[in-house]
Amino acid sequence: VALKADLAEARSSGEKTAAELRAAHAAELEQLAAEQAVLPKVGSLRSVLLRPDVLLLSAQYFCWSIGVYGFVIWLPSMLKAGRAIGIVEIGWLSAAPYLLATVLMIVVSHLSDRTGRRRMFVWPFLVVGAAAFLGSYWLGRASFWPGFVLLVVAGGAMYAPYGPFFAWFPETLPRNVACVAIALINSCGALGSFVGSYAVGWVNAATGGPCSKGAWMREPHKPSSSPLNQTSWIVRRFCGARAWSTLASA
């Protein structure tokens, strides 16, 4: 299919002859075959699902999806809680991270293809996104615009590595098990999207709204943030009121 498309384009532009294009495609196929030849073959489904690289990529995509979908679903609520603005303004502000992500995804994917490298275009952006999230959290509601800029950076950085990340699989996995491995990695990503959406919603319900600095460890009707109150909240939340009464009486 790719060869037919290139031949049609060559006829219209007149840059390359059909023979040159066929030779170029044959060279690409030989290169792909050589890359697959050096990869160890995997014989069973169990062995591919227990490969360290597949498990690592699955765990990475799971955690990645927690951040992405928690961000996507709850970004408007976070903006609404941080500043008294209307629905139209929230829509415009919510679009900013995706505008940056559109540019970064194209640029990063182009640079990854041009250099032939994948890893260096994946994990640095995820680290930047995590740092931006943390910085926005610590700024809290007191500094809305600096925190918003960090949220834009976090959103763009989380989307930027998608191209290199998914191009990584066929280059590192044997062809006979690539589909199964990719299915496992994507399934872990889908599970992470559920966990991310649910976790942020649970935290919102527990704290009375989108979390600002310090809200993670207290209920809305308990403004005190002393260690005793925080410990009380954690034990009652996860172990029940009876467990806290027993611990307090001891």
Side-chain angles (χ1 to χ4, degrees):
V1 175
L3 179 58
K4 290 181 180 179
D6 288 344
L7 286 173
E9 183 179 355
R11 292 190 187 99
S12 61
S13 62
E15 294 179 355
K16 292 184 178 181
T17 64
E20 291 174 338
L21 286 173
R22 289 192 177 91
H25 278 278
E28 291 177 359
L29 291 176
E30 291 178 0
Q31 182 180 358
L32 292 174
E35 292 175 355
Q36 284 289 322
V38 300
L39 297 176
K41 298 299 180 183
V42 180
S44 64
L45 178 62
R46 176 185 175 87
S47 58
V48 66
L49 295 181
L50 295 179
R51 280 173 58 109
D53 54 351
V54 174
L55 294 177
L56 182 61
L57 289 171
S58 299
Q60 177 185 356
Y61 199 37
F62 173 79
C63 298
W64 188 354
S65 296
I66 290 177
V68 168
Y69 284 89
F71 174 83
V72 168
I73 293 178
W74 294 102
L75 176 61
S77 299
M78 290 186 285
L79 294 176
K80 181 66 175 179
R83 193 173 181 88
I85 53 179
I87 189 66
V88 176
E89 290 80 2
I90 290 176
W92 282 109
L93 293 177
S94 299
Y98 305 107
L99 178 61
L100 177 62
T102 301
V103 177
L104 286 179
M105 289 180 69
I106 296 175
V107 173
V108 170
S109 298
H110 172 71
L111 292 176
S112 178
D113 285 339
R114 187 173 181 178
T115 60
R117 298 182 179 181
R118 307 302 182 196
R119 292 186 182 184
M120 66 176 294
F121 290 101
V122 175
W123 67 265
F125 285 96
L126 298 181
V127 171
V128 170
F133 264 133
L134 185 61
S136 179
Y137 165 75
W138 282 112
L139 286 175
R141 298 183 184 179
S143 304
F144 175 80
W145 289 112
F148 172 71
V149 170
L150 289 177
L151 282 178
V152 173
V153 172
M158 284 192 301
Y159 278 94
Y162 270 121
F165 182 74
F166 284 101
W168 195 352
F169 304 155
E171 297 176 355
T172 57
L173 298 172
R175 184 179 301 173
N176 64 318
V177 295
C179 288
V180 176
I182 293 174
L184 175 63
I185 295 169
N186 275 299
S187 298
C188 290
L191 180 61
S193 66
F194 167 77
V195 172
S197 305
Y198 181 85
V200 177
W202 179 87
V203 171
N204 283 347
T207 59
C211 293
S212 59
K213 182 178 177 181
W216 294 86
M217 298 299 292
R218 67 176 185 267
E219 294 180 53
H221 64 279
K222 287 198 175 291
S224 175
S225 58
S226 66
L228 180 60
N229 285 338
Q230 294 178 358
T231 304
S232 169
W233 186 88
I234 294 173
V235 174
R236 286 186 287 108
R237 190 71 186 181
F238 292 98
C239 303
R242 181 176 299 180
W244 170 247
S245 300
T246 304
L247 181 62
S249 61

